[in-house]
Amino acid sequence: MRLQDLLQEISYECVRGNSDIEISAVVYDSRKLTKDCLFICIEGAKFDGHDFAAEAVERGAKALVVSKSVELPAESDAAVVKVADTRYAMAFISAAWFGHPAEKLKVIGITGTKGKTTTAYLVKSILENAGFRVGLVGTIETVIGDLHIHSENTTPESYLLQENFAKMAEAGLDTVVMEVSSQALKLHRTQGFVFDYGIFTNLEPDHIAADEHASFEEYRACKGLLFRQCRVGIVNGDDAHTEELLRGHTCELETYGTKEACGLRAEHLELVHTPEELGVNFHVSGLMDFDAHVSAPGRFSVYNALCAVAICRHFQVEIADIRSALRQVKVKGRIERVEISDRFTLIIDYAHNAMALESLLATLKEYRPRRLVCLFGCGGNRSKQRRYEMGEVSGRLADFTVITSDNPRFEEPQDIIDDIKTGIMKTNGSFTEICDRKEAIAYVISHAEEGDLIVLAGKGHEDYQEIQGKKYPMDERVIIRELLDGGLKHI
């Protein structure tokens, strides 16, 4: 493909050589350089592609895209294209390289602090029940037909995203639902195309750190970028931050929620607690009118379901298909019930910070279990404040806490546990500590009492434990099965 064709949708200056040349590949990772490729110099947290510019042309790169000056061998005839932001440019270049595949799909982008993963799977389930062929890009995986690819990031780099779109179109898919992180919006991973539908779930302070967002205001502003890049925005009308987040939006808007002003509303919420499930009955009113049931606990499950309904309404999905999917869909590691006894309930959830843990435990307490038991740990090489806060939340809301290990990374697990204890000691909560997570899981199962609701928090969909820079297999579902197969007794 000709370089000038790849650059059609961006502003650039050819500061060296000629843009009317043939390119064999688009590369942004210096380890993947090939002859006659275009090398895009990306500035990352640890490495700067500009530092590899000379090496790139020595290894055969025919052109470079840069945002600052680079030194090249005098004898090189490589073209150098200068842009304001190489990440932004890469998104448009990648879209052109793969033939603008998003134009062949209906693209649904979901952003927000919580609910992105669950809502994405709900939408996928509803649309597939109605006969659509749906791809998915998210925190857990990318799904293209029968192909499931483990995710490294919630939203991949623009080149990978466009490559996945191309594979979806090639496989005959007609729709893709994807999670859109604030980091992806900040780093322009989702540029180069327009979303058909942009979705906002909710907003709470999160991802505010040196290598993420400088402030809550920046975090909110980045989320809001989605609504300058979509045709129709479907937003949570109940969230306190919605109005500010939408400032400067360019899309049509629809709202969902529980307030009278919302276009699509959930009314008459009723908690359902049976030996088989924790769920909610509710009525959908406004733009649609029907009774619904979601097989997941709490008010936030209703918001996720209502959001999915608001999206699928645009695809003319029959109410029967929507109701069926809401009852059946399960998401790995998101309030995932593990069936091991009819005398107590065991749930696996990804809640791995204080905000998520508080939301989860407060929701489960509404179901009035005999005891609410929370098992969790905290990640190593992360903020100590998170540990204090999670300890305090569990001590305040759970009837009994088991503190254990999560991903200790390069820290000693016991040091992390001691930090968590600092938080829990501020409360009157009862707790014990069991450093080995498998032993801790065995403990909560073997000591379960009738009517207990037990939460294994923090790992969720993860199937590994990271220790001293290495990932070891550790899936809580496998652990539970092995414990029971090994003769572990439980009430």
Side-chain angles (χ1 to χ4, degrees):
M1 194 167 185
R2 302 198 78 71
L3 176 58
Q4 60 188 16
D5 294 332
L6 294 175
L7 302 172
Q8 277 187 352
E9 294 188 48
I10 59 175
S11 297
Y12 68 94
E13 180 186 2
C14 195
V15 296
R16 175 173 173 164
N18 190 342
S19 63
D20 186 20
I21 55 174
E22 198 72 23
I23 296 299
S24 65
V26 174
V27 178
Y28 64 95
D29 183 338
S30 61
R31 296 168 296 183
K32 298 179 180 180
L33 289 162
T34 59
K35 183 174 172 54
D36 294 335
C37 72
L38 168 65
F39 180 56
I40 305 174
C41 299
I42 300 297
E43 191 171 353
K46 296 180 180 178
F47 302 101
D48 187 346
H50 294 83
D51 296 336
F52 299 90
E55 178 187 339
V57 298
E58 288 170 356
R59 292 174 55 188
K62 201 169 187 177
L64 304 177
V65 173
V66 303
S67 59
K68 54 189 179 184
S69 297
V70 293
E71 291 188 14
L72 301 181
E75 66 277 10
S76 170
D77 61 354
V80 178
V81 173
K82 192 170 185 179
V83 298
D85 187 317
T86 53
R87 284 188 179 276
Y88 183 85
M90 181 167 73
F92 287 90
I93 290 169
S94 298
W97 177 256
F98 288 104
H100 301 283
E103 295 177 1
K104 304 167 189 172
L105 303 162
K106 286 288 185 183
V107 185
I108 304 162
I110 305 174
T111 198
T113 303
K114 296 181 296 186
K116 296 188 296 296
T117 301
T118 301
T119 303
Y121 278 92
L122 278 169
V123 171
K124 186 175 189 291
S125 176
I126 293 171
L127 291 180
E128 287 182 335
N129 275 6
F132 292 90
R133 300 197 65 195
V134 187
L136 182 141
V137 178
T139 302
I140 298 174
E141 60 186 347
T142 292
V143 182
I144 306 171
D146 294 329
L147 179 64
H148 293 251
I149 307 165
H150 175 75
S151 294
E152 296 296 331
N153 297 305
T154 296
T155 313
E157 285 288 359
S158 58
Y159 180 91
L160 294 176
L161 181 61
Q162 293 293 337
E163 183 177 39
N164 287 332
F165 283 171
K167 289 177 180 178
M168 289 176 187
E170 211 173 289
L173 305 189
D174 49 53
T175 306
V176 55
V177 56
M178 60 179 287
E179 298 179 52
V180 184
S181 69
S182 56
Q183 279 292 95
L185 290 160
K186 178 181 178 179
L187 299 175
H188 310 302
R189 292 176 189 165
T190 60
Q191 286 292 342
F193 66 98
V194 176
F195 290 90
D196 292 283
Y197 302 97
I199 316 301
F200 169 58
T201 60
N202 51 67
L203 195 72
E204 295 183 36
D206 198 12
H207 300 290
I208 300 167
D211 58 347
E212 293 187 271
H213 297 287
S215 65
F216 175 71
E217 289 73 23
E218 182 193 294
Y219 175 56
R220 181 180 61 203
C222 286
K223 291 287 190 189
L225 293 173
L226 177 60
F227 302 95
R228 303 179 192 183
Q229 197 191 330
C230 68
R231 295 184 175 91
V232 177
I234 301 174
V235 301
N236 183 344
D238 292 352
D239 194 276
H241 303 287
T242 298
E243 183 177 354
E244 187 63 34
L245 180 138
L246 289 173
R247 194 176 296 279
H249 74 85
T250 57
C251 59
E252 297 178 26
L253 284 178
E254 295 179 7
T255 57
Y256 67 92
T258 59
K259 294 179 180 176
E260 188 64 31
C262 294
L264 193 72
R265 299 183 297 280
E267 301 175 336
H268 312 306
L269 276 63
E270 176 190 3
L271 302 183
V272 177
H273 188 181
T274 71
E276 289 76 33
E277 73 163 9
L278 301 173
V280 190
N281 292 328
F282 62 101
H283 183 78
V284 177
S285 63
L287 293 171
M288 299 185 80
D289 185 13
F290 63 94
D291 290 326
H293 172 86
V294 61
S295 299
R299 194 175 183 86
F300 60 77
S301 295
V302 174
Y303 276 105
N304 293 339
L306 193 64
C307 180
V309 172
I311 297 165
C312 294
R313 186 181 75 87
H314 286 270
F315 290 78
Q316 287 76 52
V317 179
E318 296 290 334
I319 288 174
D321 288 324
I322 292 175
R323 294 177 68 180
S324 174
L326 292 182
R327 282 184 170 273
Q328 296 173 18
V329 72
K330 299 287 187 293
V331 183
K332 185 177 182 181
R334 300 308 195 271
I335 323 179
E336 178 187 352
R337 185 166 179 162
V338 182
E339 300 290 347
I340 64 171
S341 173
D342 58 2
R343 297 177 63 81
F344 62 90
T345 301
L346 180 65
I347 287 173
I348 294 174
D349 192 83
Y350 188 51
H352 60 290
N353 58 39
M355 177 184 61
L357 188 63
E358 178 152 15
S359 177
L360 175 67
L361 296 182
T363 291
L364 296 177
K365 281 181 77 71
E366 292 182 350
Y367 286 83
R368 301 185 181 279
R370 183 184 182 280
R371 292 190 311 163
L372 179 56
V373 179
C374 179
L375 177 152
F376 80 97
C378 288
N381 303 106
R382 299 292 187 269
S383 168
K384 285 179 177 283
Q385 188 64 31
R386 174 179 286 189
R387 303 168 192 176
Y388 306 149
E389 291 172 351
M390 288 186 71
E392 191 168 348
V393 165
S394 190
R396 176 164 45 85
L397 293 177
D399 297 296
F400 186 71
T401 300
V402 178
I403 307 172
T404 186
S405 184
D406 193 289
N407 290 323
R409 299 186 177 90
F410 291 97
E411 288 193 68
E412 287 298 321
Q414 188 60 50
D415 292 343
I416 299 172
I417 288 172
D418 290 343
D419 286 337
I420 295 171
K421 285 161 59 180
T422 298
I424 205 168
M425 293 292 283
K426 295 179 181 179
T427 74
N428 295 319
S430 299
F431 71 94
T432 190
E433 57 182 282
I434 303 173
C435 193
D436 183 277
R437 197 172 182 103
K438 182 174 182 178
E439 289 181 18
I441 293 171
Y443 176 87
V444 294
I445 293 174
S446 62
H447 288 77
E449 299 175 10
E450 185 166 359
D452 280 358
L453 205 168
I454 301 168
V455 180
L456 311 184
K459 298 300 291 178
H461 61 276
E462 293 180 350
D463 56 4
Y464 65 87
Q465 189 171 40
E466 188 176 345
I467 303 170
Q468 295 297 318
K470 184 175 179 181
K471 291 183 178 180
Y472 296 87
M474 197 203 76
D475 187 321
E476 290 181 325
R477 300 149 202 79
V478 174
I479 288 174
I480 292 166
R481 187 169 63 247
E482 289 175 346
L483 289 170
L484 297 180
D485 288 346
L488 179 73
K489 302 297 181 184
H490 60 277
I491 296 174

